[in-house]
Amino acid sequence: MKKIISTILLAAAVLNFSGCQKFMDVNTNQDAPDYVDAGLYLPGVLSAYQGFYWDIRALGPLTQMMGTNSYTNFANNYYTAGSDAGGEMWRMTYWLQGMNLENMINQAVEAEQWTLAGIGYAIKAFSWDCIAKYHADAPVLQAYEPGRLAHDYDYEYTLMEKSREWAETAIGYLEKEDNSDYGTYLTKGDLAYHGDKSKWIKFAHSVIVTDLAALSNKKDFAEKYADDFFEHAALAIDGNGSNFAVERGGGGADAQFSAYNNFWGTTRQNLTNVYWQSDYIVQIMTGTVPQYDETTGDKVLAPHAAPRTKWELNPNQIICDTTKVAGHYDPRAAAKLSTVDGQYYDKMTDKEAIMDWTYFGSGFTGASGPSGTAPNLYGFRAATPTTTVEGSGRWIFRDDAPYILLTASEIKFEVAEVLFKMGRKGEALAAFKDGVALDMEFTGNYLNPGKPKETGKDDDDNPIYAVGGDLPGGSAIAKATYNEMAAEYLAGPYVNGITEADLTLSHIMMQKYVALWPWGALEAWTDLRKYHYDIIYTGDYPTKGNGWDVSSVNQKWDTDPTKVYKGFYLAPAQVENRKSAYNSRNEGSPCYRVRPRYNSEYMWNLNSLKALKPIAGDADNYQCSIPWFAYPGDIPASL
């Protein structure tokens, strides 16, 4: 993999959005500026969210959204403390945003620039919510105290409380009258909402919603958190026009800086042939979740072997099925997933052909999956980048695609989940349907259809098309065709055909998983851990000997009505294509958190890490320490 590391410097943001002369005028020392206008921090602070996508290299394998031959340690749920791999969000929050964001907030408050201060607090709230869900425990109360050489760790509940507090502060500032003259600081430098206060307010409410949604399995959720959850949900992002996404300029190889291109784009090549769509996402999005023999764990072979029917299919498909009838096919597969079919761009409006495309998912640590070899995420199978994958890319794997960070569909699914748990199934069903419709629209918004490129005629005078179509390629389904198939799907049995009596938690959470693929891997991982990976255990939480042993994990069968993620099995589950034990130092447990960044915490703050409970931060199995949000009560003092 070609790794292009780019540091987001304030100076670059200043030059790009304001001009060199103004930068020089406001400082006494032109080489080391002692003061920067608060608004000039904003583009750099927002651009730092590329670190979120960097760490999906770890989260994609952890959630079974992606397979990889690069971050295989995360795919195997075990990794040591000797690497900065998976540490970009830590670096992003503490350093790239860090004091730049603190300075922006403090200077804006001092200057009574309430809009900018509110934006700053909203960003801070979101970043710390992400840190809490990713790393669980981290220094927050002492994070920016000057002169400190070590920082005490705070437990996750403190990080989550501070996140909600900062979001509330953001709302307060954003709702204040602001007569400041921001010039182009907001219209150009705000790469998310271009200074639209109403959208930032919705976003701040959404941060509180998604933070509280992680606590929905807490025993005291209804009495302690539910009122706040619904209050903020009513004011949160409610349409795709308000999604939180950070724009990228693109430009490909001609871009002034590599970071102008999306980290997942074809120019930076960070996903090419080292990350693939997983067998699990392919199964649920194509209606091919297999049926397992519960006595052996083997898949039940179908009478007539074929790529999509090699095994008997689970009779309870949650997302779609293989029936070639309008409404049974989910067109998001053609938009989100890669296939070697359709590569000539000559069937983009042919619904029958599109429904007949075949998709393959990868294994945990290689492209080869249980049914076939997964193509690369740009759409085609290629050993190295070639003309079939060059250009701007497709869907959100494009050079100019924004960094998607929070969407309206995510909020709707969280509302549906909480309503369902509180017994309000009619309202939950309505929120569920809204969530699917919003993701269907969101997915279509990023289609950039390619077009066929004719290179000649065959002997029968039929056109011959070039593989990859007319560069720079793009999505293999036309927007109008996608929209037509989307309307059919929404009207079909898997959305509008579901009644209040039919609705299960699986419908909500698995549709949310599809909506989050793969940009929302952190939120998907939060959900998987909240439901303890559908592990069978007694009491409040699983432990060694009560859910797993050193070589296997005991997971619910798909026939268990309490199993949330149908078809999902961890690597050590005793089913076909799994049965692979974790590293013995995990003591059988799956991963529950990502270790903090090695180069700061394990080298300079180790004593604080050692003090953590119930598993110390320097322990071999610290990554298996269950975070606070996944306990129904308080953190146990010991295990």
Side-chain angles (χ1 to χ4, degrees):
M1 178 172 63
K2 181 179 179 183
K3 295 180 179 177
I4 303 173
I5 300 174
S6 57
T7 302
I8 301 168
L9 300 175
L10 176 62
V14 171
L15 291 174
N16 192 37
F17 291 97
S18 181
C20 184
Q21 186 61 48
K22 184 170 184 178
F23 175 77
M24 296 171 66
D25 287 346
V26 297
N27 297 286
T28 56
N29 183 339
Q30 296 176 11
D31 297 316
D34 50 33
Y35 179 82
V36 175
D37 287 350
L40 292 175
Y41 289 102
L42 186 55
V45 163
L46 285 170
S47 293
Y49 278 121
Q50 77 164 337
F52 197 99
Y53 272 40
W54 283 41
D55 277 349
I56 292 176
R57 294 176 299 175
L59 284 165
L62 278 169
T63 55
Q64 293 189 31
M65 286 186 162
M66 292 178 177
T68 180
N69 65 9
S70 176
Y71 274 32
T72 55
N73 47 1
F74 290 93
N76 290 320
N77 276 237
Y78 173 79
Y79 54 99
T80 66
S83 168
D84 279 347
E88 272 305 311
M89 271 193 271
W90 189 279
R91 177 174 176 265
M92 174 195 83
T93 303
Y94 281 102
W95 183 54
L96 291 179
Q97 291 180 343
M99 284 307 301
N100 291 320
L101 181 55
E102 295 298 300
N103 289 339
M104 185 183 93
I105 290 171
N106 293 335
Q107 290 174 214
V109 170
E110 183 178 358
E112 298 186 354
Q113 294 176 320
W114 308 125
T115 301
L116 186 59
I119 291 172
Y121 270 111
I123 293 169
K124 185 175 182 179
F126 179 71
S127 295
W128 281 95
D129 175 69
C130 293
I131 285 288
K133 291 171 178 174
Y134 190 51
H135 297 290
D137 309 324
V140 59
L141 298 180
Q142 298 175 354
Y144 301 113
E145 287 186 9
R148 277 196 168 275
L149 298 179
H151 300 79
D152 293 341
Y153 269 63
D154 299 293
Y155 286 97
E156 184 181 46
Y157 50 78
T158 300
L159 274 67
M160 297 182 82
E161 286 174 359
K162 295 300 292 184
S163 172
R164 297 193 298 273
E165 176 188 317
W166 290 325
E168 293 275 15
T169 302
I171 294 164
Y173 279 134
L174 287 162
E175 289 179 341
K176 293 183 71 168
E177 183 179 354
D178 187 354
N179 296 314
S180 302
D181 180 7
Y182 291 102
T184 60
Y185 289 165
L186 296 186
T187 55
K188 291 186 177 180
D190 177 0
L191 304 177
Y193 295 131
H194 300 286
D196 188 328
K197 288 175 59 171
S198 65
K199 292 181 179 179
W200 276 109
I201 291 170
K202 286 178 182 289
F203 170 66
H205 284 293
S206 300
V207 173
I208 297 173
V209 172
T210 195
D211 183 274
L212 290 174
L215 310 181
S216 64
N217 280 349
K218 288 285 188 185
K219 291 178 179 177
D220 58 356
F221 181 84
E223 61 191 60
K224 188 173 181 180
Y225 302 109
D227 287 346
D228 280 349
F229 176 86
F230 288 118
E231 176 186 343
H232 290 286
L235 300 168
I237 294 171
D238 55 0
N240 285 311
S242 298
N243 290 344
F244 185 55
V246 176
E247 296 170 356
R248 293 290 83 199
D254 295 329
Q256 183 178 3
F257 298 104
S258 172
Y260 285 179
N261 294 305
N262 188 294
F263 185 73
W264 287 352
T266 55
T267 296
R268 297 176 71 176
Q269 299 175 19
N270 287 301
L271 297 182
T272 305
N273 299 303
V274 289
Y275 287 88
W276 306 274
Q277 60 204 22
S278 69
D279 64 339
Y280 181 62
I281 190 64
V282 168
Q283 287 170 0
I284 64 175
M285 288 197 70
T286 58
T288 55
V289 175
Q291 184 175 345
Y292 293 91
D293 183 332
E294 295 183 11
T295 61
T296 65
D298 293 337
K299 298 173 183 176
V300 179
L301 286 172
H304 304 288
R308 71 174 69 217
T309 58
K310 184 175 181 179
W311 299 286
E312 289 285 359
L313 300 182
N314 190 316
N316 188 22
Q317 302 287 332
I318 297 295
I319 306 299
C320 61
D321 60 36
T322 60
T323 305
K324 296 299 194 314
V325 175
H328 288 256
Y329 172 80
D330 185 345
R332 289 175 297 181
K336 294 187 178 191
L337 301 181
S338 292
T339 174
V340 295
D341 294 329
Q343 60 186 297
Y344 298 99
Y345 297 100
D346 59 334
K347 303 291 185 182
M348 293 190 300
T349 62
D350 187 336
K351 293 198 295 183
E352 290 297 320
I354 290 167
M355 285 192 288
D356 203 43
W357 288 348
T358 300
Y359 299 86
F360 296 121
S362 72
F364 287 108
T365 58
S368 179
S371 299
T373 302
N376 75 62
L377 287 166
Y378 301 119
F380 307 112
R381 193 175 292 147
T384 58
T386 68
T387 54
T388 61
V389 296
E390 289 175 359
S392 66
R394 65 168 192 94
W395 197 51
I396 61 172
F397 305 109
R398 302 198 324 249
D399 288 341
D400 61 349
Y403 292 126
I404 312 296
L405 299 164
L406 197 153
T407 66
S409 65
E410 177 186 336
I411 297 298
K412 287 294 184 183
F413 286 125
E414 287 164 352
V415 170
E417 177 193 13
V418 172
L419 287 168
F420 183 89
K421 289 178 179 177
M422 297 185 73
R424 296 160 62 178
K425 287 190 67 175
E427 295 168 270
L429 179 63
F432 161 80
K433 291 180 178 180
D434 286 344
V436 180
L438 283 163
D439 184 59
M440 198 65 66
E441 179 186 67
F442 161 83
T443 302
N445 286 346
Y446 292 100
L447 286 175
N448 59 319
K451 57 183 178 179
K453 183 176 183 179
E454 189 173 332
T455 60
K457 302 283 187 179
D458 63 18
D459 292 340
D460 297 321
D461 204 36
N462 295 313
I464 300 172
Y465 294 107
V467 175
D470 188 13
L471 295 179
S475 301
I477 182 172
K479 275 196 172 186
T481 304
Y482 170 86
N483 290 335
E484 182 180 343
M485 299 178 84
E488 292 169 347
Y489 176 76
L490 292 173
Y494 289 93
V495 187
N496 284 342
I498 295 177
T499 67
E500 186 176 332
D502 298 330
L503 185 67
T504 67
L505 196 56
S506 292
H507 288 99
I508 296 167
M509 302 311 297
M510 290 180 67
Q511 281 282 5
K512 182 183 179 186
Y513 183 97
V514 169
L516 293 171
W517 189 87
W519 61 268
L522 175 58
E523 202 60 34
W525 193 40
T526 300
D527 293 333
L528 286 165
R529 291 173 292 161
K530 183 169 64 178
Y531 292 105
H532 293 289
Y533 297 103
D534 282 314
I535 290 169
I536 299 173
Y537 61 92
T538 59
D540 285 342
Y541 52 89
T543 57
K544 183 179 179 182
N546 182 23
W548 55 72
D549 56 35
V550 294
S551 61
S552 63
V553 170
N554 189 18
Q555 281 185 280
K556 298 174 182 176
W557 293 106
D558 292 337
T559 53
D560 187 332
T562 68
K563 182 172 182 179
V564 177
Y565 293 93
K566 308 297 186 184
F568 185 94
Y569 292 96
L570 294 166
Q574 296 305 292
V575 300
E576 188 175 347
N577 299 123
R578 297 299 190 258
K579 300 184 181 182
S580 176
Y582 290 142
N583 188 294
S584 61
R585 285 170 285 189
N586 269 37
E587 299 182 11
S589 172
C591 180
Y592 270 91
R593 66 176 71 200
V594 171
R595 290 176 182 269
R597 189 171 175 85
Y598 171 77
N599 202 34
S600 65
E601 302 311 291
Y602 285 93
M603 293 198 62
W604 307 105
N605 207 26
L606 186 57
N607 287 336
S608 297
L609 266 169
K610 288 181 177 180
L612 290 172
K613 304 292 183 183
I615 300 178
D618 65 333
D620 283 341
N621 65 334
Y622 175 63
Q623 68 275 358
C624 301
S625 186
I626 297 174
W628 171 77
F629 76 80
Y631 286 110
D634 292 330
I635 302 172
S638 62
L639 297 175

